[in-house]
Amino acid sequence: MVGLGAMPGYGIQSMLKEGHKHLSGLEEAVIKNIDACRELSAITRTSLGPNGMNKMVINHLDKLFVTNDAATIVNELEVQHPAAKLLVLAGKVQQEEIGDGANLTISFAGELLEKAEELIRMGLHPSEIIIGYTKAINKTIEILEDLVEKGSENMDVRNKVEVVLRMRSAVASKQFGQEDILCPLIADACMQVCPKNPANFNVDNVRVAKLLGGGLHNSSVVRGMVLKTDAVGSIKRVEKTKITVFAGGVDTSATETKGTVLIHSAEQLENYAKTEEAKVEELIKAVADSGAKVIVSGAAVGDMALHFCERYKLMVLKISSKFELRRLCRTTGAIALLKLSQPNADELGYADSVSVEEIGGARVTVVKNEEGGNTVATVVLRGSTDSILDDIERAVDDGVNTYKSMCRDSRIIPGAAATEIELARRLKEFSLKETG
């Protein structure tokens, strides 16, 4: 007699490996998927709107997030269910494209599915529901064109009053009550880096530096970059200076060669050590002669090299992140050099001032570039705890993304759910005319 376990599978079971699940039919598959999505949208729904509640999320690395930003919440939750995962991805795409509204995307999708469940239980086929929803979408887009406020399509993105007015709602949904402090800061930073053709606005050019201590009203905007590191060496401030950037670091390894050297006497040994020193000095002197007063290194700065930098009155900065190094090159217009050598005039960058300042007990290096045009602006945020700072950073991020959307298409529609109610009214009329 054959044991039950040894029975060969039939149908789809014979194709899939052991331990799989195969769900089909309404009850098992469709309704279960809808339930999963509904649970997810129920989590984020209470965070919607200006007085949305904050959630505490602890991710797999035991990092604590306190936020009402739905994109952050669903990203850190690591959702496993395939249907709910689709909602998470929809929220992600919304965040990447528009930079805000991820919460609405997820909550709204959950609502639509919940209403669809009732229809399914009434005996409608899912594909019929999809056809209905598609008709509604197309009609919605038609109606929205009518609801656009007149004259809003030609807005001046360099008019601070208008920019702040439109940014307020996006920032208020994250930081309710703080939007009057934050919006002018974000608007200033965005307008500084806005290129001649606003459609080319790059979100990455508005940076955020989070410094503990003080309150939100101590925040400010810097034209240029704020690096969270101190300068290496004793020179802490340089005005109107040229800058040279070495991606590979400033160290004696630049002079080393592979090979074997046979030394017979003490003098030869002394001379050998001297030549290396002379070589490093020669390289540093070449940099000083090119007119640069600031050396930015992407890796370690050797002691001997630092000694000669001090002698030639060069300020030394060390930036270990290659992304920060890239941004610094963008701010100053410098070209990063791979090996320590004399830079050409066109490889040097320029900054109005490079100085080390102390903000709230932390030493930061501020690279200002007022005249160099609109390259990078930094919003310096102050707050009492890390989680508050992280949350304000997300609000700034939303504000900057709103500005990007304004640059591309500045049309606006009435807010405070007025548009939604009007849409609902017109869609209801439209639905009554439909047959079938």
Side-chain angles (χ1 to χ4, degrees), residues 46 67 126 128 137 151-152 171 228 310 312 321 323 326 402-403:
T46 47
T67 175
E128 288 168 338
I137 289 174
S152 66
V171 176
K228 281 179 149 183
E310 294 283 307
Y312 288 105
S321 153
F323 298 108
R326 239 177 254 168
T402 308
Y403 188 83

Side-chain angles (χ1 to χ4, degrees), residues 361-408:
R363 293 185 78 95
V364 295
T365 309
V366 181
V367 182
K368 281 192 180 153
N369 204 352
E370 306 280 337
E371 293 137 39
N374 36 21
T375 41
V376 176
T378 305
V379 183
V380 180
L381 294 178
R382 310 294 309 282
S384 46
T385 67
D386 280 328
S387 62
I388 289 177
L389 280 172
D390 287 343
D391 218 27
I392 300 174
E393 182 185 14
R394 288 183 202 111
V396 172
D397 195 44
D398 275 16
V400 176
N401 276 302
T402 308
Y403 188 83
K404 179 180 86 171
S405 307
M406 272 186 255
C407 289
R408 290 184 181 171

Side-chain angles (χ1 to χ4, degrees), residues 246-375:
F246 294 113
V250 181
D251 205 351
T252 47
S253 62
T255 62
E256 276 172 21
T257 51
K258 284 195 173 72
T260 315
V261 179
L262 194 60
I263 291 174
H264 290 296
S265 63
E267 286 97 57
Q268 282 176 334
L269 179 62
E270 211 165 47
N271 292 341
Y272 180 70
K274 266 189 198 152
T275 49
E276 182 171 41
E277 215 168 290
K279 189 73 183 146
V280 175
E281 179 171 12
E282 187 188 315
L283 288 168
I284 302 289
K285 185 171 184 297
V287 173
D289 290 346
S290 68
K293 291 208 179 74
V294 180
I295 289 182
V296 180
S297 158
V301 179
D303 291 339
M304 195 190 292
L306 187 60
H307 164 74
F308 288 117
C309 290
E310 294 283 307
R311 184 184 288 181
Y312 288 105
K313 301 276 181 291
L314 294 174
M315 182 177 183
V316 184
L317 298 177
K318 180 176 171 242
I319 304 178
S320 43
S321 153
K322 63 171 185 257
F323 298 108
E324 285 290 291
L325 202 63
R326 239 177 254 168
R327 287 187 196 107
L328 184 94
C329 290
R330 256 213 319 259
T331 312
T332 57
I335 294 172
L337 303 173
L338 286 174
K339 69 188 239 287
L340 194 55
S341 58
Q342 179 165 11
N344 301 333
D346 55 350
E347 291 169 337
L348 293 174
Y350 173 81
D352 288 332
S353 72
V354 180
S355 58
V356 177
E357 293 173 20
E358 196 159 310
I359 305 182
R363 293 185 78 95
V364 295
T365 309
V366 181
V367 182
K368 281 192 180 153
N369 204 352
E370 306 280 337
E371 293 137 39
N374 36 21
T375 41

